[in-house]
PDB file of all heavy atoms in Angstrom:
ATOM      1  N   GLY Y 296      11.489 -19.863 -14.627  1.00 96.00           N
ATOM      2  CA  GLY Y 296      10.688 -18.818 -14.018  1.00 96.00           C
ATOM      3  C   GLY Y 296      10.991 -17.471 -14.650  1.00 96.00           C
ATOM      4  O   GLY Y 296      12.161 -17.086 -14.756  1.00 96.00           O
ATOM      5  N   ALA Y 297       9.962 -16.771 -15.083  1.00 96.00           N
ATOM      6  CA  ALA Y 297      10.169 -15.508 -15.792  1.00 96.00           C
ATOM      7  C   ALA Y 297      10.016 -14.288 -14.890  1.00 96.00           C
ATOM      8  O   ALA Y 297      10.767 -13.321 -15.028  1.00 96.00           O
ATOM      9  CB  ALA Y 297       9.195 -15.406 -16.965  1.00 96.00           C
ATOM     10  N   ARG Y 298       9.081 -14.326 -13.961  1.00 97.00           N
ATOM     11  CA  ARG Y 298       8.788 -13.158 -13.124  1.00 97.00           C
ATOM     12  C   ARG Y 298       9.494 -13.274 -11.782  1.00 97.00           C
ATOM     13  O   ARG Y 298       9.486 -14.325 -11.146  1.00 97.00           O
ATOM     14  CB  ARG Y 298       7.280 -13.046 -12.918  1.00 97.00           C
ATOM     15  CG  ARG Y 298       6.838 -11.911 -11.969  1.00 97.00           C
ATOM     16  CD  ARG Y 298       6.748 -10.595 -12.671  1.00 97.00           C
ATOM     17  NE  ARG Y 298       6.519  -9.493 -11.752  1.00 97.00           N
ATOM     18  CZ  ARG Y 298       5.571  -8.560 -11.922  1.00 97.00           C
ATOM     19  NH1 ARG Y 298       4.767  -8.625 -12.951  1.00 97.00           N
ATOM     20  NH2 ARG Y 298       5.442  -7.569 -11.069  1.00 97.00           N
ATOM     21  N   VAL Y 299      10.106 -12.177 -11.355  1.00 96.00           N
ATOM     22  CA  VAL Y 299      10.747 -12.161 -10.038  1.00 96.00           C
ATOM     23  C   VAL Y 299       9.683 -12.225  -8.951  1.00 96.00           C
ATOM     24  O   VAL Y 299       8.506 -11.909  -9.177  1.00 96.00           O
ATOM     25  CB  VAL Y 299      11.615 -10.895  -9.855  1.00 96.00           C
ATOM     26  CG1 VAL Y 299      12.741 -10.854 -10.871  1.00 96.00           C
ATOM     27  CG2 VAL Y 299      10.755  -9.637  -9.944  1.00 96.00           C
ATOM     28  N   SER Y 300      10.084 -12.620  -7.764  1.00 94.00           N
ATOM     29  CA  SER Y 300       9.149 -12.698  -6.643  1.00 94.00           C
ATOM     30  C   SER Y 300       8.742 -11.297  -6.193  1.00 94.00           C
ATOM     31  O   SER Y 300       9.427 -10.307  -6.489  1.00 94.00           O
ATOM     32  CB  SER Y 300       9.783 -13.443  -5.471  1.00 94.00           C
ATOM     33  OG  SER Y 300      10.845 -12.675  -4.924  1.00 94.00           O
ATOM     34  N   LYS Y 301       7.654 -11.243  -5.458  1.00 94.00           N
ATOM     35  CA  LYS Y 301       7.174  -9.958  -4.939  1.00 94.00           C
ATOM     36  C   LYS Y 301       8.226  -9.311  -4.048  1.00 94.00           C
ATOM     37  O   LYS Y 301       8.485  -8.097  -4.159  1.00 94.00           O
ATOM     38  CB  LYS Y 301       5.879 -10.182  -4.163  1.00 94.00           C
ATOM     39  CG  LYS Y 301       5.337  -8.942  -3.483  1.00 94.00           C
ATOM     40  CD  LYS Y 301       4.062  -9.271  -2.724  1.00 94.00           C
ATOM     41  CE  LYS Y 301       3.541  -8.052  -1.968  1.00 94.00           C
ATOM     42  NZ  LYS Y 301       2.290  -8.369  -1.202  1.00 94.00           N
ATOM     43  N   GLN Y 302       8.850 -10.113  -3.193  1.00 93.00           N
ATOM     44  CA  GLN Y 302       9.853  -9.568  -2.289  1.00 93.00           C
ATOM     45  C   GLN Y 302      11.050  -9.013  -3.069  1.00 93.00           C
ATOM     46  O   GLN Y 302      11.555  -7.924  -2.756  1.00 93.00           O
ATOM     47  CB  GLN Y 302      10.316 -10.651  -1.309  1.00 93.00           C
ATOM     48  CG  GLN Y 302      11.418 -10.219  -0.351  1.00 93.00           C
ATOM     49  CD  GLN Y 302      10.954  -9.172   0.653  1.00 93.00           C
ATOM     50  OE1 GLN Y 302       9.757  -8.929   0.797  1.00 93.00           O
ATOM     51  NE2 GLN Y 302      11.905  -8.533   1.319  1.00 93.00           N
ATOM     52  N   ASP Y 303      11.500  -9.751  -4.078  1.00 94.00           N
ATOM     53  CA  ASP Y 303      12.645  -9.291  -4.878  1.00 94.00           C
ATOM     54  C   ASP Y 303      12.317  -8.005  -5.621  1.00 94.00           C
ATOM     55  O   ASP Y 303      13.161  -7.110  -5.739  1.00 94.00           O
ATOM     56  CB  ASP Y 303      13.063 -10.374  -5.869  1.00 94.00           C
ATOM     57  CG  ASP Y 303      13.785 -11.530  -5.194  1.00 94.00           C
ATOM     58  OD1 ASP Y 303      14.140 -11.394  -4.012  1.00 94.00           O
ATOM     59  OD2 ASP Y 303      13.992 -12.568  -5.856  1.00 94.00           O
ATOM     60  N   GLU Y 304      11.097  -7.908  -6.116  1.00 94.00           N
ATOM     61  CA  GLU Y 304      10.727  -6.697  -6.843  1.00 94.00           C
ATOM     62  C   GLU Y 304      10.660  -5.498  -5.910  1.00 94.00           C
ATOM     63  O   GLU Y 304      11.092  -4.393  -6.269  1.00 94.00           O
ATOM     64  CB  GLU Y 304       9.379  -6.896  -7.539  1.00 94.00           C
ATOM     65  CG  GLU Y 304       8.974  -5.707  -8.398  1.00 94.00           C
ATOM     66  CD  GLU Y 304       7.704  -5.940  -9.184  1.00 94.00           C
ATOM     67  OE1 GLU Y 304       7.284  -7.107  -9.316  1.00 94.00           O
ATOM     68  OE2 GLU Y 304       7.125  -4.940  -9.668  1.00 94.00           O
ATOM     69  N   LEU Y 305      10.132  -5.703  -4.734  1.00 93.00           N
ATOM     70  CA  LEU Y 305      10.058  -4.601  -3.780  1.00 93.00           C
ATOM     71  C   LEU Y 305      11.446  -4.198  -3.295  1.00 93.00           C
ATOM     72  O   LEU Y 305      11.718  -3.023  -3.068  1.00 93.00           O
ATOM     73  CB  LEU Y 305       9.175  -4.995  -2.594  1.00 93.00           C
ATOM     74  CG  LEU Y 305       7.680  -5.174  -2.906  1.00 93.00           C
ATOM     75  CD1 LEU Y 305       6.944  -5.676  -1.674  1.00 93.00           C
ATOM     76  CD2 LEU Y 305       7.072  -3.867  -3.410  1.00 93.00           C
ATOM     77  N   CYS Y 306      12.326  -5.173  -3.128  1.00 91.00           N
ATOM     78  CA  CYS Y 306      13.701  -4.863  -2.714  1.00 91.00           C
ATOM     79  C   CYS Y 306      14.452  -4.153  -3.827  1.00 91.00           C
ATOM     80  O   CYS Y 306      15.308  -3.303  -3.578  1.00 91.00           O
ATOM     81  CB  CYS Y 306      14.446  -6.144  -2.351  1.00 91.00           C
ATOM     82  SG  CYS Y 306      13.920  -6.904  -0.809  1.00 91.00           S
ATOM     83  N   GLY Y 307      14.146  -4.519  -5.048  1.00 92.00           N
ATOM     84  CA  GLY Y 307      14.904  -4.016  -6.187  1.00 92.00           C
ATOM     85  C   GLY Y 307      15.824  -5.108  -6.699  1.00 92.00           C
ATOM     86  O   GLY Y 307      16.406  -5.877  -5.914  1.00 92.00           O
ATOM     87  N   LEU Y 308      15.995  -5.182  -8.003  1.00 94.00           N
ATOM     88  CA  LEU Y 308      16.785  -6.258  -8.591  1.00 94.00           C
ATOM     89  C   LEU Y 308      18.275  -6.084  -8.369  1.00 94.00           C
ATOM     90  O   LEU Y 308      19.037  -7.037  -8.545  1.00 94.00           O
ATOM     91  CB  LEU Y 308      16.469  -6.366 -10.083  1.00 94.00           C
ATOM     92  CG  LEU Y 308      15.013  -6.676 -10.431  1.00 94.00           C
ATOM     93  CD1 LEU Y 308      14.859  -6.989 -11.919  1.00 94.00           C
ATOM     94  CD2 LEU Y 308      14.470  -7.812  -9.590  1.00 94.00           C
ATOM     95  N   ASP Y 309      18.714  -4.894  -7.986  1.00 94.00           N
ATOM     96  CA  ASP Y 309      20.128  -4.719  -7.665  1.00 94.00           C
ATOM     97  C   ASP Y 309      20.527  -5.671  -6.539  1.00 94.00           C
ATOM     98  O   ASP Y 309      21.481  -6.451  -6.658  1.00 94.00           O
ATOM     99  CB  ASP Y 309      20.406  -3.277  -7.227  1.00 94.00           C
ATOM    100  CG  ASP Y 309      20.352  -2.298  -8.383  1.00 94.00           C
ATOM    101  OD1 ASP Y 309      20.043  -2.736  -9.510  1.00 94.00           O
ATOM    102  OD2 ASP Y 309      20.613  -1.111  -8.163  1.00 94.00           O
ATOM    103  N   ILE Y 310      19.799  -5.607  -5.419  1.00 92.00           N
ATOM    104  CA  ILE Y 310      20.090  -6.450  -4.265  1.00 92.00           C
ATOM    105  C   ILE Y 310      19.680  -7.895  -4.528  1.00 92.00           C
ATOM    106  O   ILE Y 310      20.422  -8.841  -4.262  1.00 92.00           O
ATOM    107  CB  ILE Y 310      19.374  -5.916  -3.012  1.00 92.00           C
ATOM    108  CG1 ILE Y 310      19.991  -4.569  -2.583  1.00 92.00           C
ATOM    109  CG2 ILE Y 310      19.437  -6.931  -1.879  1.00 92.00           C
ATOM    110  CD1 ILE Y 310      21.421  -4.680  -2.100  1.00 92.00           C
ATOM    111  N   ALA Y 311      18.467  -8.081  -5.087  1.00 92.00           N
ATOM    112  CA  ALA Y 311      17.913  -9.419  -5.236  1.00 92.00           C
ATOM    113  C   ALA Y 311      18.718 -10.285  -6.190  1.00 92.00           C
ATOM    114  O   ALA Y 311      18.926 -11.474  -5.943  1.00 92.00           O
ATOM    115  CB  ALA Y 311      16.465  -9.324  -5.718  1.00 92.00           C
ATOM    116  N   GLU Y 312      19.193  -9.706  -7.298  1.00 94.00           N
ATOM    117  CA  GLU Y 312      19.863 -10.503  -8.325  1.00 94.00           C
ATOM    118  C   GLU Y 312      21.386 -10.386  -8.280  1.00 94.00           C
ATOM    119  O   GLU Y 312      22.079 -11.275  -8.771  1.00 94.00           O
ATOM    120  CB  GLU Y 312      19.372 -10.095  -9.720  1.00 94.00           C
ATOM    121  CG  GLU Y 312      17.899 -10.383  -9.986  1.00 94.00           C
ATOM    122  CD  GLU Y 312      17.637 -11.853 -10.301  1.00 94.00           C
ATOM    123  OE1 GLU Y 312      18.524 -12.691 -10.019  1.00 94.00           O
ATOM    124  OE2 GLU Y 312      16.550 -12.166 -10.813  1.00 94.00           O
ATOM    125  N   HIS Y 313      21.912  -9.294  -7.701  1.00 93.00           N
ATOM    126  CA  HIS Y 313      23.348  -9.056  -7.805  1.00 93.00           C
ATOM    127  C   HIS Y 313      24.027  -8.810  -6.461  1.00 93.00           C
ATOM    128  O   HIS Y 313      25.259  -8.825  -6.378  1.00 93.00           O
ATOM    129  CB  HIS Y 313      23.624  -7.868  -8.735  1.00 93.00           C
ATOM    130  CG  HIS Y 313      22.945  -7.986 -10.058  1.00 93.00           C
ATOM    131  ND1 HIS Y 313      23.430  -8.792 -11.070  1.00 93.00           N
ATOM    132  CD2 HIS Y 313      21.800  -7.426 -10.541  1.00 93.00           C
ATOM    133  CE1 HIS Y 313      22.612  -8.705 -12.116  1.00 93.00           C
ATOM    134  NE2 HIS Y 313      21.619  -7.885 -11.811  1.00 93.00           N
ATOM    135  N   GLY Y 314      23.248  -8.546  -5.424  1.00 90.00           N
ATOM    136  CA  GLY Y 314      23.842  -8.305  -4.120  1.00 90.00           C
ATOM    137  C   GLY Y 314      24.585  -6.994  -4.003  1.00 90.00           C
ATOM    138  O   GLY Y 314      25.421  -6.808  -3.109  1.00 90.00           O
ATOM    139  N   VAL Y 315      24.294  -6.068  -4.894  1.00 90.00           N
ATOM    140  CA  VAL Y 315      24.908  -4.739  -4.847  1.00 90.00           C
ATOM    141  C   VAL Y 315      23.812  -3.707  -5.069  1.00 90.00           C
ATOM    142  O   VAL Y 315      22.678  -4.047  -5.411  1.00 90.00           O
ATOM    143  CB  VAL Y 315      26.009  -4.563  -5.928  1.00 90.00           C
ATOM    144  CG1 VAL Y 315      27.124  -5.561  -5.734  1.00 90.00           C
ATOM    145  CG2 VAL Y 315      25.407  -4.684  -7.332  1.00 90.00           C
ATOM    146  N   THR Y 316      24.141  -2.458  -4.859  1.00 89.00           N
ATOM    147  CA  THR Y 316      23.205  -1.379  -5.149  1.00 89.00           C
ATOM    148  C   THR Y 316      23.936  -0.281  -5.902  1.00 89.00           C
ATOM    149  O   THR Y 316      25.128  -0.043  -5.688  1.00 89.00           O
ATOM    150  CB  THR Y 316      22.573  -0.826  -3.866  1.00 89.00           C
ATOM    151  OG1 THR Y 316      21.682   0.240  -4.198  1.00 89.00           O
ATOM    152  CG2 THR Y 316      23.635  -0.331  -2.896  1.00 89.00           C
ATOM    153  N   ALA Y 317      23.224   0.368  -6.813  1.00 91.00           N
ATOM    154  CA  ALA Y 317      23.848   1.397  -7.643  1.00 91.00           C
ATOM    155  C   ALA Y 317      24.266   2.614  -6.829  1.00 91.00           C
ATOM    156  O   ALA Y 317      25.223   3.308  -7.182  1.00 91.00           O
ATOM    157  CB  ALA Y 317      22.889   1.816  -8.761  1.00 91.00           C
ATOM    158  N   TYR Y 318      23.571   2.882  -5.733  1.00 89.00           N
ATOM    159  CA  TYR Y 318      23.831   4.079  -4.937  1.00 89.00           C
ATOM    160  C   TYR Y 318      23.963   3.683  -3.464  1.00 89.00           C
ATOM    161  O   TYR Y 318      23.059   3.937  -2.648  1.00 89.00           O
ATOM    162  CB  TYR Y 318      22.700   5.090  -5.118  1.00 89.00           C
ATOM    163  CG  TYR Y 318      22.462   5.457  -6.560  1.00 89.00           C
ATOM    164  CD1 TYR Y 318      21.417   4.868  -7.284  1.00 89.00           C
ATOM    165  CD2 TYR Y 318      23.281   6.374  -7.218  1.00 89.00           C
ATOM    166  CE1 TYR Y 318      21.194   5.192  -8.614  1.00 89.00           C
ATOM    167  CE2 TYR Y 318      23.066   6.696  -8.552  1.00 89.00           C
ATOM    168  CZ  TYR Y 318      22.023   6.103  -9.240  1.00 89.00           C
ATOM    169  OH  TYR Y 318      21.809   6.424 -10.562  1.00 89.00           O
ATOM    170  N   PRO Y 319      25.072   3.056  -3.073  1.00 84.00           N
ATOM    171  CA  PRO Y 319      25.207   2.551  -1.691  1.00 84.00           C
ATOM    172  C   PRO Y 319      25.146   3.638  -0.639  1.00 84.00           C
ATOM    173  O   PRO Y 319      24.692   3.395   0.479  1.00 84.00           O
ATOM    174  CB  PRO Y 319      26.573   1.861  -1.703  1.00 84.00           C
ATOM    175  CG  PRO Y 319      27.306   2.455  -2.865  1.00 84.00           C
ATOM    176  CD  PRO Y 319      26.257   2.752  -3.883  1.00 84.00           C
ATOM    177  N   GLU Y 320      25.581   4.849  -0.954  1.00 72.00           N
ATOM    178  CA  GLU Y 320      25.576   5.905   0.045  1.00 72.00           C
ATOM    179  C   GLU Y 320      24.153   6.331   0.415  1.00 72.00           C
ATOM    180  O   GLU Y 320      23.920   6.898   1.475  1.00 72.00           O
ATOM    181  CB  GLU Y 320      26.370   7.131  -0.444  1.00 72.00           C
ATOM    182  CG  GLU Y 320      25.783   7.835  -1.666  1.00 72.00           C
ATOM    183  CD  GLU Y 320      26.271   7.223  -2.976  1.00 72.00           C
ATOM    184  OE1 GLU Y 320      26.642   6.038  -2.977  1.00 72.00           O
ATOM    185  OE2 GLU Y 320      26.257   7.951  -3.994  1.00 72.00           O
ATOM    186  N   PHE Y 321      23.192   6.034  -0.482  1.00 68.00           N
ATOM    187  CA  PHE Y 321      21.805   6.377  -0.195  1.00 68.00           C
ATOM    188  C   PHE Y 321      21.010   5.170   0.307  1.00 68.00           C
ATOM    189  O   PHE Y 321      19.832   5.287   0.608  1.00 68.00           O
ATOM    190  CB  PHE Y 321      21.123   6.943  -1.438  1.00 68.00           C
ATOM    191  CG  PHE Y 321      21.780   8.200  -1.935  1.00 68.00           C
ATOM    192  CD1 PHE Y 321      22.388   8.244  -3.181  1.00 68.00           C
ATOM    193  CD2 PHE Y 321      21.792   9.344  -1.161  1.00 68.00           C
ATOM    194  CE1 PHE Y 321      22.998   9.395  -3.642  1.00 68.00           C
ATOM    195  CE2 PHE Y 321      22.407  10.507  -1.615  1.00 68.00           C
ATOM    196  CZ  PHE Y 321      23.013  10.532  -2.857  1.00 68.00           C
ATOM    197  N   ASN Y 322      21.642   4.013   0.329  1.00 59.00           N
ATOM    198  CA  ASN Y 322      20.944   2.801   0.736  1.00 59.00           C
ATOM    199  C   ASN Y 322      21.754   2.040   1.773  1.00 59.00           C
ATOM    200  O   ASN Y 322      21.869   0.824   1.731  1.00 59.00           O
ATOM    201  CB  ASN Y 322      20.683   1.895  -0.478  1.00 59.00           C
ATOM    202  CG  ASN Y 322      19.740   2.536  -1.482  1.00 59.00           C
ATOM    203  OD1 ASN Y 322      18.531   2.535  -1.309  1.00 59.00           O
ATOM    204  ND2 ASN Y 322      20.310   3.107  -2.530  1.00 59.00           N
ATOM    205  N   SER Y 323      22.325   2.761   2.702  1.00 52.00           N
ATOM    206  CA  SER Y 323      23.215   2.143   3.688  1.00 52.00           C
ATOM    207  C   SER Y 323      22.479   1.167   4.598  1.00 52.00           C
ATOM    208  O   SER Y 323      23.092   0.262   5.177  1.00 52.00           O
ATOM    209  CB  SER Y 323      23.884   3.221   4.537  1.00 52.00           C
ATOM    210  OG  SER Y 323      22.903   4.025   5.185  1.00 52.00           O
TER     211      SER Y 323
END
């Protein structure tokens, strides 16, 4: 599968693919 799902894209690949976020203080 090449394209991420709609939900993953809307969430952002940080959370969808890695379970982390680059700016946790802004995404609590």
Side-chain angles (χ1 to χ4, degrees):
R298 176 83 188 229
V299 298
S300 68
K301 175 181 177 181
Q302 177 67 13
D303 286 349
E304 184 175 344
L305 292 175
C306 288
L308 300 189
D309 287 3
I310 292 294
E312 295 282 16
H313 308 282
V315 299
T316 179
Y318 304 100
E320 64 273 25
F321 299 116
N322 295 280
S323 58

